[in-house]
Amino acid sequence: MRMTEQQRAIVEVARNNDDLIARARAGTGKTSVIEMIGRDQMQKKVLLLCFNKSIERAATARMPNNMTCRTFHSIGFATHGKYFQNRMNLRFMTKQIAKRIGHSDAITNAARYTIKRFTSSDSQVITGWHVPRECYAGKPKDEHNALKEEIVCAARKIWLLKNSYKERDVPVDFDDYLKAFELDGARVRGRYDTIIVDEAQDITPRDIAIINKIPGQRIMAGDDYQQIYAWRGSINSLDAIGGIDHNLFLTQSFRFGEAIANAANNVLSLLQHDCPPLMGLKSINSDIRWDNKPDGRHTVLCRTNSGLLSETLSAIRLGKSVHVIGTLMESVNLLESAWYMSIGEMSKVKHPTLLMCGDWESVVEMSKDDTELGAIVRQVELYSSIIPTICEELRCAGEKPEHKADVILSSVHRAKGREWEVVRLADDFPELIQYSKKEKRYTIKKFEVFTLYVAVTRAMHTLFANSVMSQINGWREMLCE
């Protein structure tokens, strides 16, 4: 394989057994440089930790024989997960578990999501810090501490049941056994000279704790500007891991041309970071369009599940065949549950996020600071009583396979790692700055900038920009005031 100068520098540092961070911007050949490291040192045993199962399968087919490709969950399964297999497909039966631990259904449900936060952390015990804000935000402030203490108590009881080998009725999920694996010392079967972590910007504090317990050279590869999973406990390990001296960049993209690279750099300019700019490939013709009207087959990227639902409905009503990356039913169920919660029919509310909030007043209050909830509240106000009809229409519409659809639709989170010839950005992206009364100045919404950057860099040839992109230059001036 022919190397660029940036790739060669990374391979040479890796050859010296030094720990390093490879900050690989969008489309810059991160997977290729990981392969180069493996082939350059065939005498070493390398463990490549992948973000998910699909990436692991692709890596296994591509990487040299001295590299073992695994997900974090698969290394935990070998020593811990296999003992809980019979409980991994069980449903969390809130009423039955609440009765066993002596707490209400609402507290038990809150404890369930508290455990989810705990299992993604590097904490040794469950504390009030792990209780999701949604569980208490709608309650009076003077009740917060007592409520959190009760939720923590319930969560600790459930955690003990999850970890009991004699237990038969309380479900165990992938994060549960991986947390147990980390707490027990993260002893990986086999010995490795080098540990490479792919998509390192999106791993959790628990995963970092696991990496630090495995002996060997550490190589962290990822793009800190693509850290868009903070909502589920991930952190930017490229900055958090510590003790790594070499910090190298990959900035030459092979996915798109200069126009799209410039658009991505313009988005990132709001962060005011002093980093090398992303460079487009001169041999690729790419362009930015502002007319919002793709002629032929294209992909629409949405910021929220609610926006995804609206765009899908519009395409169906225009007679277009559609394919939704992931599942459209997530968006349908969210909208339907929101409608029933807003009219007080709680027995029909099925979506877990809304169940955590407890009531519609809490959802409306939290929507002021939450992009997803803000979008769903606006849709409930817009569509009101016709929401059940809309949801049924979407369920009956059907989908085409991706390669046959006129319009491909996806949330940005589902689109990560993908690329398409023509991309249109939906108009459900929020503003990228906000006024801070405390600091008396405009501040950046960092994770919204990251999300827009990921969306822009999915396009290979043509990007249909949205209204948010047209405001970036003005926002940059406001941040400098």
Side-chain angles (χ1 to χ4, degrees), residues 290-332:
W290 299 90
D291 57 5
N292 204 32
K293 296 178 180 178
D295 295 326
R297 194 166 180 268
H298 62 280
T299 298
V300 180
L301 296 183
C302 306
R303 170 61 182 86
T304 63
N305 285 327
S306 301
L308 183 66
L309 187 148
S310 295
E311 290 286 349
T312 304
L313 186 63
S314 297
I316 290 170
R317 289 178 173 176
L318 289 172
K320 305 290 186 182
S321 61
V322 301
H323 176 84
V324 179
I325 305 294
T327 171
L328 178 61
M329 289 306 103
E330 166 73 14
S331 303
V332 172

Side-chain angles (χ1 to χ4, degrees), residues 72-73 76 174-182 206-207 210:
F72 281 93
H73 290 100
F174 299 102
D175 287 330
D176 293 333
Y177 74 69
L178 188 56
K179 180 61 180 176
F181 170 74
E182 182 259 316
R206 173 204 62 214
D207 300 333
I210 290 172

Side-chain angles (χ1 to χ4, degrees), residues 179-452:
K179 180 61 180 176
F181 170 74
E182 182 259 316
L183 290 173
D184 286 345
R187 295 177 180 85
V188 176
R189 288 186 173 177
R191 292 186 177 183
Y192 298 95
D193 303 297
T194 300
I195 314 299
I196 301 178
V197 183
D198 191 13
E199 298 292 344
Q201 77 282 348
D202 277 324
I203 64 175
T204 65
R206 173 204 62 214
D207 300 333
I208 294 178
I210 290 172
I211 294 163
N212 287 333
K213 291 173 182 176
I214 304 174
Q217 177 190 23
R218 297 174 298 169
I219 299 176
M220 312 294 287
D223 184 355
D224 40 350
Y225 294 148
Q226 293 193 54
Q227 189 210 346
I228 60 174
Y229 288 104
W231 53 275
R232 69 180 190 192
S234 72
I235 60 171
N236 178 15
S237 69
L238 301 178
D239 292 331
I241 193 164
I244 296 182
D245 296 327
H246 298 279
N247 197 357
L248 303 176
F249 288 85
L250 290 175
T251 58
Q252 175 60 68
S253 181
F254 302 98
R255 177 181 296 161
F256 40 72
E258 293 178 318
I260 292 174
N262 291 339
N265 287 328
N266 197 37
V267 173
L268 295 177
S269 69
L270 292 173
L271 299 171
Q272 300 176 332
H273 289 175
D274 185 21
C275 293
L278 179 64
M279 297 182 291
L281 202 61
K282 292 182 179 180
S283 60
I284 297 178
N285 291 321
S286 61
D287 67 308
I288 310 297
R289 292 180 56 178
W290 299 90
D291 57 5
N292 204 32
K293 296 178 180 178
D295 295 326
R297 194 166 180 268
H298 62 280
T299 298
V300 180
L301 296 183
C302 306
R303 170 61 182 86
T304 63
N305 285 327
S306 301
L308 183 66
L309 187 148
S310 295
E311 290 286 349
T312 304
L313 186 63
S314 297
I316 290 170
R317 289 178 173 176
L318 289 172
K320 305 290 186 182
S321 61
V322 301
H323 176 84
V324 179
I325 305 294
T327 171
L328 178 61
M329 289 306 103
E330 166 73 14
S331 303
V332 172
N333 292 338
L334 176 60
L335 179 61
E336 196 168 47
S337 288
W339 164 245
Y340 286 124
M341 179 176 274
S342 73
I343 61 174
E345 294 190 28
M346 295 300 296
S347 62
K348 295 182 179 180
V349 178
K350 306 298 182 185
H351 198 276
T353 300
L354 299 182
L355 287 171
M356 263 200 299
C357 294
D359 55 50
W360 186 244
E361 288 72 24
S362 297
V363 172
V364 172
E365 180 63 28
M366 292 194 62
S367 70
K368 298 173 184 177
D369 302 312
D370 188 291
T371 300
E372 185 70 58
L373 290 179
I376 203 68
V377 168
R378 288 192 295 273
Q379 284 197 326
V380 168
E381 293 171 349
L382 176 64
Y383 295 119
S384 189
S385 60
I386 66 170
I387 285 175
T389 304
I390 290 173
C391 292
E392 187 61 27
E393 182 180 352
L394 287 165
R395 287 192 178 99
C396 295
E399 292 183 53
K400 291 277 189 180
E402 182 174 342
H403 67 282
K404 292 184 178 180
D406 298 325
V407 182
I408 301 161
L409 301 108
S410 177
S411 67
V412 179
H413 291 82
R414 292 278 187 178
K416 196 163 177 290
R418 300 289 303 271
E419 59 187 25
W420 293 275
E421 299 260 335
V422 180
V423 170
R424 177 172 72 82
L425 303 183
D427 255 326
D428 65 333
F429 287 73
E431 294 186 347
L432 304 182
I433 66 170
Q434 60 189 355
Y435 187 76
S436 170
K437 292 182 180 179
K438 183 178 180 180
E439 299 181 36
K440 296 182 179 180
R441 65 182 182 90
Y442 285 98
T443 58
I444 194 73
K445 297 180 184 177
K446 182 174 68 172
F447 292 109
E448 294 300 344
V449 172
F450 292 168
T451 304
L452 183 57

